[in-house]
Amino acid sequence: MTQSHTYVLAAGGTGGHMVPAAALAEELAGRGHHVVLISDDRGVRYPGLFDGVETHVLPAGRLGGGPLGWVRAAAKVMAGRSMARKLYKQLRPACVIGFGGYPALPSLLAAFRSGIPTVIHEQNAVLGRVNRYVAGKVDAIATSYENVERLQDSWKAKTHLVGNPVRESVLALRNRPYPMLDEDGIFRVLVTGGSQGATILSQVVPDGLALLPVHFRRRLQVTHQARVEDIDQVRAKYANHDIPAEIATYLPDLPERLAWSHIVIARAGASTIAELTAAGRPAILVPLPSATDDHQTANAREITAAGGARTISQRAFNPTELAKQIQKLGLDPVALENAAKKAWGCGRPHAARDLADLVESINAPEAPAGVRRAALRGNTGGARPAFAMTEHRA
């Protein structure tokens, strides 16, 4: 029987950080461990993710605003580190796991100072700023992609490819078949820009769908997540084009919508890619150009290279280009189903389990500390951890 430990999860307040943290929390709790979340005000209040989990809010500064802003941020980080060290004396955590974002930094710095083992998880295909800052000091780095930019060669020996954990409701779609599509059947399109929608999708998608051949356009059924300020304009566009569409600012049943979708038009955030590949849904991806280090473009490369998606830069994203790409994917049901299979093949459905295995391996009671560290360092290139892991790909 596995010995029970306390694990601290430190994550920034956005969904991209909080969703994988919540998936790990559920996995660790299911193994009998005590899980504690440290985040900011947004993170601890994220709806439906951390119900019943002990949570703490610590100050954390975000770099910006010139020299004065840096000084203020540093002061907040140091205050957060001090508070975290006091908290660790009570909790005595076996490991602190960081998921990126500035709110994770004080917790990790406190763990370094207190001699507590640390792991970081990177959701994107580019190592984030906070993770880059601490990567040299942590015991293990878990990645979501085989190739991660900004990952130094000196860190690769302790790097482990696990994938990006997704919600159980999305993971359950992996065993559901791709929805049947015949030449005269309904063609369901899901448009989502993340939790806040995306204005560029609202501006382009309705007009792009309107350019499809008449026999194809008449088969469309659209669900479109839009920003509050865009929703009336989007609704009017679909009505003018006589395209049946459900418009909403929030989709609480997104996994079910994903289940029956034939194609998804979306940004290329880490959670979006993880969900598309978990469910096996072909997509047209429009990376957010302002994303730090252009990480969304990097996120889209694997599924696009595999043939499970088509990527259009925002600069080239216009109604004509969108219509062209949808026709390439959607007019041939066999090609569309093959794209779904290729997207599915990029999925790493055991990410939460494998990340939990990695975390537990640091505290494996059967091996002395030095041996455990050596085992973790034994993995090269992120291909497979030293502990047992089943193959991720189909």
Side-chain angles (χ1 to χ4, degrees):
M1 182 176 180
T2 303
Q3 181 180 353
S4 178
H5 293 290
T6 293
Y7 291 103
V8 170
L9 311 187
T14 65
H17 300 305
M18 304 309 296
V19 170
L24 178 62
E26 184 176 359
E27 178 71 20
L28 290 173
R31 300 183 183 196
H33 299 299
H34 176 54
V35 179
V36 177
L37 171 70
I38 296 179
S39 187
D40 58 7
D41 287 324
R42 298 171 302 163
V44 298
R45 292 181 175 83
Y46 215 87
L49 290 184
F50 291 93
D51 296 339
V53 174
E54 179 182 343
T55 59
H56 298 271
V57 175
L58 297 183
R62 182 180 181 88
L63 295 179
L68 183 58
W70 299 339
V71 171
R72 290 173 177 169
K76 288 184 178 180
V77 169
M78 290 301 101
R81 186 186 73 168
S82 177
M83 293 172 65
R85 290 194 69 193
K86 292 179 181 178
L87 182 62
Y88 294 163
K89 289 181 180 179
Q90 302 172 20
L91 296 174
R92 300 179 63 84
C95 184
V96 175
I97 304 97
F99 287 85
Y102 288 99
L105 183 56
S107 302
L108 290 165
L109 294 178
F112 298 152
R113 192 65 179 256
S114 302
I116 300 169
T118 50
V119 174
I120 55 173
H121 179 269
E122 178 56 58
Q123 299 87 52
N124 294 298
V126 181
L127 201 63
R129 290 178 179 176
V130 168
N131 281 347
R132 289 202 300 269
Y133 182 75
V134 301
K137 295 183 178 180
V138 300
D139 294 287
I141 301 170
T143 65
S144 302
Y145 295 87
E146 189 168 355
N147 297 309
V148 178
E149 297 177 18
R150 301 291 187 96
L151 185 68
Q152 295 184 16
D153 289 341
S154 60
W155 302 335
K156 290 184 178 180
K158 60 181 178 182
T159 299
H160 307 261
L161 174 62
V162 300
N164 192 13
V166 299
R167 295 169 289 178
E168 282 294 330
S169 55
V170 174
L171 196 56
L173 304 182
R174 193 161 180 83
N175 296 321
R176 290 176 59 172
Y178 183 72
M180 293 292 293
L181 179 67
D182 56 49
E183 293 183 0
D184 298 321
I186 295 175
F187 190 89
R188 298 181 178 89
V189 180
L190 174 63
V191 185
T192 173
S195 59
Q196 298 300 317
T199 294
I200 187 66
L201 300 184
S202 296
Q203 293 171 342
V204 172
V205 173
D207 294 338
L209 296 179
L211 294 178
L212 293 171
V214 175
H215 71 280
F216 192 2
R217 189 170 70 243
R218 287 175 176 170
R219 297 165 50 206
L220 294 176
Q221 186 175 86
V222 180
T223 297
H224 190 128
Q225 182 188 31
R227 296 172 66 90
V228 174
E229 57 267 35
D230 299 330
I231 197 165
D232 290 337
Q233 181 183 9
V234 176
R235 185 174 288 115
K237 278 192 172 189
Y238 281 116
N240 290 338
H241 295 316
D242 197 25
I243 297 174
E246 180 181 353
I247 320 299
T249 58
Y250 177 64
L251 299 173
D253 57 343
L254 183 60
E256 189 59 30
R257 305 279 185 166
L258 186 61
W260 56 246
S261 297
H262 293 107
I263 195 169
V264 179
I265 304 172
R267 288 298 198 188
S271 292
T272 297
I273 300 295
E275 292 181 350
L276 288 172
T277 57
R281 292 297 179 271
I284 293 174
L285 301 172
V286 186
L288 176 67
S290 61
T292 305
D293 299 316
D294 196 23
H295 66 253
Q296 288 204 4
T297 297
N299 291 349
R301 286 176 187 150
E302 183 179 63
I303 185 175
T304 301
R310 294 177 180 269
T311 297
I312 308 174
S313 69
Q314 184 161 309
R315 183 179 58 211
F317 187 59
N318 57 59
T320 301
E321 181 64 20
L322 176 63
K324 181 173 69 175
Q325 296 300 335
I326 289 179
Q327 288 184 77
K328 287 182 178 179
L329 274 173
L331 285 178
D332 183 352
V334 175
L336 190 65
E337 188 168 357
N338 285 338
K341 291 177 181 177
K342 291 172 181 177
W344 190 92
C346 291
R348 297 182 173 91
H350 305 301
R353 183 199 69 188
D354 295 335
L355 181 55
D357 286 350
L358 174 61
V359 168
E360 284 186 332
S361 72
I362 293 180
N363 302 101
E366 64 274 10
V371 175
R372 293 199 299 271
R373 296 296 183 272
L376 285 172
R377 289 194 297 269
N379 178 42
T380 59
R384 188 181 288 248
F387 51 84
M389 179 187 289
T390 57
E391 181 62 44
H392 288 100
R393 298 183 181 276

